[in-house]
Amino acid sequence: MAKVLIPTPLRVFTGKQDAVSVSGGTVREVLDELTAQYPDLRKQIFTEDGKLRSFVNVYINDEDIRYLSKDATAAKESDTISLVPSIAGGSTLAAPPEEATLSKDEILRYSRHLIIPEVGVEGQQKLKAAKVLLVGAGGLGAPLGLYLAAAGIGRIGIVDFDVVDFTNLQRQVIHSTADVGRKKLDSAAEKMQGINPHLKIVKHETALSSENALDILKDYDLVVDGTDNFPTRYLVNDACVLLGKPNVYGSIFRFEGQATVFAYEGGPCYRCLYPEPPPPGLVPSCAEGGVLGILPGTIGLIQATETVKLILGIGEPLVGRLLLYDALGMRFRELKLRKNPECPVCGEHRTITRLIDYHQFCGVPQPGAAAPVQETKVNEGEIEVTEVKEMLDRGDNFVLIDVREPHEYKICNIPAAKLIPLGEVPQRLNELDKNADIVIHCKSGMRSAKACGILRQAGFQHVRNMKGGILAWSDRVDPSVPKY
Ligand code: ZN
């Protein structure tokens, strides 16, 4: 007798039983026997011609057998078989609530949805009843916000506290040039409301934190992660696992993107994939490493597609699969993701049962609080841009080193500076005099601080970091130097 676990939305067909013991040699035989006992269940999980419906997945002991033949997969006595239908935030197999009734205007607006059998009036009502939280109104949040608004999601919450910057416009298409300096929340909400006046937008003007995350997330059916930093990624993941909310994940860097759905119906979570964050500074952010402007559009729309599928309960969700996108090769690849039984937040022996300090976990300073402490630590080795300018004007005997990349040097540079990209610094120390007075700069001061550390460790006596990098130089010394 194998044990079959019945998910909540299907229990109405098994007399409220959450587990049923059934005999059978293969998974198919077990399911046939189960549905012989509960004929109403048969209509739910099998099509007329006896095929398992595509929105029901079958697991044996937490092992997804989707890719294997269900007929050939043997069920042992001790096996637990789980039926996992696609649902989002509660039972979407149930009828959508009364208030999701569509008006005449909405019927016309969504007519191209209504004529798809997989969506139809009921599907559109599910979208209207759905509550989706977007974490971040930036690169990924832009296409997500626009398309989810247009598709008829009833309620969209947005968490963001940033203002629109000129450098955002290359990819964050929800904001326009006239929005520079405005709150991203206001700019995004205005565009989304313009596309769809039926949409309810909830603005959460805050940084998501351990203190507020559970409170904000609890009111939504699913969460779409459009953040750009590791502490918030882990925070969103843990909060979603703790609350049992699906986490639609996307990430981007230069020409590559990733997408998957975490924490859905017992599927793997972000920590199953990446138990620990990379050491601070190893993986550059988009601000440091750059990103193709179109890339967040592609990845954000994959997230939007998964969001809509989960709400409608159709298709095969991107669960347990990590989709990798390479824009340069124009290739998609798919990796299988398994749940890690040792996962500290969703595994068998959980050690994380409430939210933790994610900045400490990721080894990065909390914005605001920890920053001044760090500054005072490195202050002694820093120099102001204006002082460097005076030294150049006086003709002081010192070496100015630029540790940015050659393509950045081409955008703008200080002519007196010698270019040694950070990655080449350790091999090129012999080009420098250990007793010389050395000033190092980069774009904003982060990489040059690392370079200063390398030189000091190698025994260089007089090394200083030019505070604020070439951006500060442009602000305070030479405005003709372009910022990027
Ligand atoms: Zn996990």
Side-chain angles (χ1 to χ4, degrees):
M1 298 285 265
K3 191 161 101 179
V4 183
L5 299 182
I6 311 295
T8 317
L10 296 181
R11 284 179 204 158
V12 286
F13 308 108
T14 59
K16 296 193 179 159
Q17 288 197 77
D18 57 3
V20 180
S21 290
V22 192
S23 56
T26 67
V27 171
R28 181 63 201 223
E29 286 172 26
V30 168
L31 295 180
D32 280 341
E33 176 63 27
L34 173 75
T35 52
Q37 282 182 38
Y38 302 101
D40 288 343
L41 184 62
R42 184 161 190 93
K43 287 181 215 139
Q44 294 294 322
I45 66 172
F46 287 113
T47 57
E48 300 265 56
D49 53 1
K51 282 203 198 99
L52 195 65
R53 287 187 190 272
S54 59
F55 66 87
V56 180
N57 289 322
V58 179
Y59 287 71
I60 295 187
N61 305 328
D62 294 334
E63 191 70 36
D64 189 353
I65 60 159
R66 200 171 2 201
Y67 303 104
L68 306 172
S69 156
K70 276 137 194 141
D71 292 318
T73 310
K76 289 197 295 293
E77 285 282 307
S78 53
D79 281 342
T80 300
I81 297 174
S82 313
L83 296 179
V84 183
S86 313
I87 55 165
S91 169
T92 50
L93 292 178
E98 200 62 13
E99 65 266 26
T101 311
L102 302 177
S103 67
K104 206 174 143 196
D105 175 69
E106 287 172 295
I107 288 172
L108 187 61
R109 171 182 288 267
Y110 303 125
S111 64
R112 298 298 183 276
H113 265 169
L114 302 182
I115 57 179
I116 311 177
E118 288 81 356
V119 183
V121 171
E122 202 179 321
Q124 195 63 51
Q125 288 177 322
K126 285 178 185 173
L127 294 174
K128 187 174 177 181
K131 297 181 285 258
V132 173
L133 183 69
L134 299 186
V135 185
L140 295 167
L144 275 159
L146 294 173
Y147 273 94
L148 292 179
I153 304 291
R155 183 181 291 257
I156 300 179
I158 313 172
V159 186
D160 204 291
F161 62 96
D162 220 355
V163 294
V164 181
D165 182 84
F166 207 68
T167 61
N168 297 153
L169 300 175
Q170 160 254 22
R171 63 198 177 285
Q172 302 182 14
V173 295
I174 202 164
H175 311 298
S176 23
T177 309
D179 294 317
V180 171
R182 286 181 79 196
K183 287 174 190 164
K184 285 189 181 176
L185 264 186
D186 293 342
S187 161
E190 202 176 276
K191 310 294 160 31
M192 290 159 68
Q193 205 75 73
I195 289 170
N196 193 340
H198 303 286
L199 166 68
K200 286 192 188 70
I201 297 177
V202 185
K203 297 181 195 173
H204 301 279
E205 191 183 349
T206 179
L208 205 63
S209 70
S210 309
E211 287 72 39
N212 64 22
L214 294 177
D215 208 39
I216 292 175
L217 265 64
K218 71 172 174 20
D219 295 329
Y220 294 91
D221 300 322
L222 60 82
V223 179
V224 190
D225 184 354
T227 55
D228 59 357
N229 63 82
F230 290 108
T232 318
R233 291 263 186 226
Y234 283 96
L235 169 62
V236 170
N237 178 72
D238 292 0
C240 282
V241 173
L242 294 175
L243 291 168
K245 311 267 183 197
N247 171 10
V248 185
Y249 169 90
S251 68
I252 48 171
F253 182 69
R254 290 194 175 161
F255 295 99
E256 286 168 39
Q258 300 181 354
T260 187
V261 176
F262 288 124
Y264 180 71
E265 291 284 300
C269 81
Y270 185 57
R271 281 183 191 268
C272 295
L273 175 61
Y274 302 116
E276 280 178 357
L282 185 72
V283 179
S285 67
C286 284
E288 288 165 3
V291 60
L292 181 71
I294 300 148
L295 185 73
T298 310
I299 299 299
L301 290 185
I302 289 169
Q303 291 177 281
T305 309
E306 288 307 302
T307 301
V308 166
K309 277 165 58 189
L310 289 178
I311 294 165
L312 293 174
I314 57 171
E316 191 182 336
L318 194 56
V319 175
R321 300 181 286 146
L322 181 67
L323 189 67
L324 304 179
Y325 170 59
D326 164 20
L328 280 185
M330 197 43 82
R331 278 187 193 94
F332 284 93
R333 278 202 307 143
E334 195 178 300
L335 300 179
K336 267 187 199 171
L337 285 187
R338 292 195 193 284
K339 199 175 162 85
N340 173 11
E342 301 303 317
C343 176
V345 72
C346 79
E348 283 151 23
H349 313 287
R350 300 172 188 188
T351 52
I352 298 170
T353 51
R354 57 193 179 86
L355 299 179
I356 59 169
D357 182 337
Y358 293 89
H359 288 91
Q360 191 187 39
F361 174 67
C362 294
V364 295
Q366 192 126 24
V373 181
Q374 242 213 356
E375 252 171 45
T376 47
K377 227 169 52 187
V378 291
N379 258 349
E380 58 211 58
E382 285 186 338
I383 180 167
E384 298 290 336
V385 284
T386 45
E387 209 179 321
V388 176
K389 167 74 170 145
E390 284 163 20
M391 287 164 69
L392 286 170
D393 289 348
R394 281 197 304 264
D396 286 3
N397 187 19
F398 78 107
V399 184
L400 181 61
I401 300 172
D402 180 348
V403 292
R404 296 174 305 150
E405 298 300 313
H407 63 269
E408 295 178 88
Y409 189 85
K410 278 186 197 153
I411 302 171
C412 59
N413 59 66
I414 303 169
K418 178 184 173 78
L419 180 68
I420 307 180
L422 179 61
E424 297 175 17
V425 168
Q427 295 88 47
R428 294 177 60 181
L429 291 174
N430 56 355
E431 294 175 29
L432 305 166
D433 176 0
K434 279 199 173 159
N435 297 310
D437 187 6
I438 295 176
V439 175
I440 307 181
H441 88 83
C442 64
K443 182 182 173 189
S444 65
M446 292 284 284
R447 282 174 284 173
S448 49
K450 281 178 207 159
C452 286
I454 294 169
L455 261 68
R456 287 189 195 115
Q457 272 208 327
F460 284 77
Q461 302 294 319
H462 314 286
V463 185
R464 280 178 294 176
N465 181 19
M466 189 174 93
K467 221 168 137 184
I470 202 161
L471 293 180
W473 183 269
S474 171
D475 279 336
R476 296 168 57 201
V477 174
D478 182 2
S480 75
V481 169
K483 286 165 94 170
Y484 63 101

Short mmCIF file of all heavy atoms in Angstrom, two decimals, residues 91-98 122 125-126:
data_model
loop_
_atom_site.label_atom_id
_atom_site.label_comp_id
_atom_site.label_asym_id
_atom_site.label_seq_id
_atom_site.Cartn_x
_atom_site.Cartn_y
_atom_site.Cartn_z
N SER A 91 -6.59 27.99 -2.67
CA SER A 91 -7.21 27.14 -3.67
C SER A 91 -7.73 27.94 -4.84
O SER A 91 -8.77 28.57 -4.78
CB SER A 91 -8.35 26.37 -3.02
OG SER A 91 -9.10 25.74 -4.02
N THR A 92 -6.99 27.91 -5.94
CA THR A 92 -7.50 28.60 -7.13
C THR A 92 -8.42 27.68 -7.92
O THR A 92 -8.97 28.09 -8.92
CB THR A 92 -6.36 29.10 -8.03
OG1 THR A 92 -5.47 28.02 -8.24
CG2 THR A 92 -5.64 30.26 -7.42
N LEU A 93 -8.52 26.41 -7.49
CA LEU A 93 -9.48 25.53 -8.17
C LEU A 93 -10.89 25.93 -7.77
O LEU A 93 -11.85 25.68 -8.47
CB LEU A 93 -9.23 24.07 -7.79
CG LEU A 93 -7.92 23.47 -8.31
CD1 LEU A 93 -7.76 22.04 -7.83
CD2 LEU A 93 -7.87 23.51 -9.83
N ALA A 94 -10.99 26.59 -6.62
CA ALA A 94 -12.29 27.08 -6.17
C ALA A 94 -12.68 28.29 -7.03
O ALA A 94 -11.85 28.91 -7.66
CB ALA A 94 -12.22 27.48 -4.72
N ALA A 95 -13.96 28.59 -7.03
CA ALA A 95 -14.42 29.73 -7.83
C ALA A 95 -13.86 31.02 -7.26
O ALA A 95 -13.70 31.15 -6.05
CB ALA A 95 -15.94 29.77 -7.81
N PRO A 96 -13.54 31.97 -8.13
CA PRO A 96 -13.03 33.25 -7.63
C PRO A 96 -14.13 33.99 -6.86
O PRO A 96 -15.31 33.76 -7.09
CB PRO A 96 -12.64 34.00 -8.90
CG PRO A 96 -13.28 33.29 -10.03
CD PRO A 96 -13.59 31.91 -9.58
N PRO A 97 -13.71 34.89 -5.97
CA PRO A 97 -14.72 35.57 -5.15
C PRO A 97 -15.65 36.45 -5.96
O PRO A 97 -15.36 36.86 -7.08
CB PRO A 97 -13.88 36.41 -4.18
CG PRO A 97 -12.54 36.52 -4.81
CD PRO A 97 -12.35 35.32 -5.65
N GLU A 98 -16.77 36.72 -5.36
CA GLU A 98 -17.87 37.50 -5.95
C GLU A 98 -17.38 38.82 -6.56
O GLU A 98 -17.71 39.14 -7.70
CB GLU A 98 -18.83 37.78 -4.78
CG GLU A 98 -20.24 38.14 -5.12
CD GLU A 98 -21.05 37.10 -5.88
OE1 GLU A 98 -20.66 35.90 -6.01
OE2 GLU A 98 -22.08 37.49 -6.36
N GLU A 122 -13.51 32.77 -16.21
CA GLU A 122 -13.11 32.36 -14.86
C GLU A 122 -11.64 32.69 -14.60
O GLU A 122 -11.27 33.16 -13.52
CB GLU A 122 -13.35 30.86 -14.68
CG GLU A 122 -13.46 30.51 -13.21
CD GLU A 122 -13.73 29.03 -13.00
OE1 GLU A 122 -14.50 28.45 -13.80
OE2 GLU A 122 -13.15 28.47 -12.05
N GLN A 125 -11.21 36.32 -14.00
CA GLN A 125 -11.66 36.65 -12.64
C GLN A 125 -10.60 36.27 -11.61
O GLN A 125 -10.41 36.96 -10.62
CB GLN A 125 -12.99 35.94 -12.34
CG GLN A 125 -14.15 36.56 -13.11
CD GLN A 125 -15.45 35.82 -12.87
OE1 GLN A 125 -15.46 34.59 -12.77
NE2 GLN A 125 -16.54 36.54 -12.78
N LYS A 126 -9.91 35.16 -11.87
CA LYS A 126 -8.82 34.78 -10.96
C LYS A 126 -7.73 35.86 -10.97
O LYS A 126 -7.17 36.21 -9.92
CB LYS A 126 -8.19 33.45 -11.38
CG LYS A 126 -9.03 32.24 -11.06
CD LYS A 126 -8.31 30.99 -11.57
CE LYS A 126 -9.17 29.75 -11.40
NZ LYS A 126 -8.55 28.57 -12.03
#
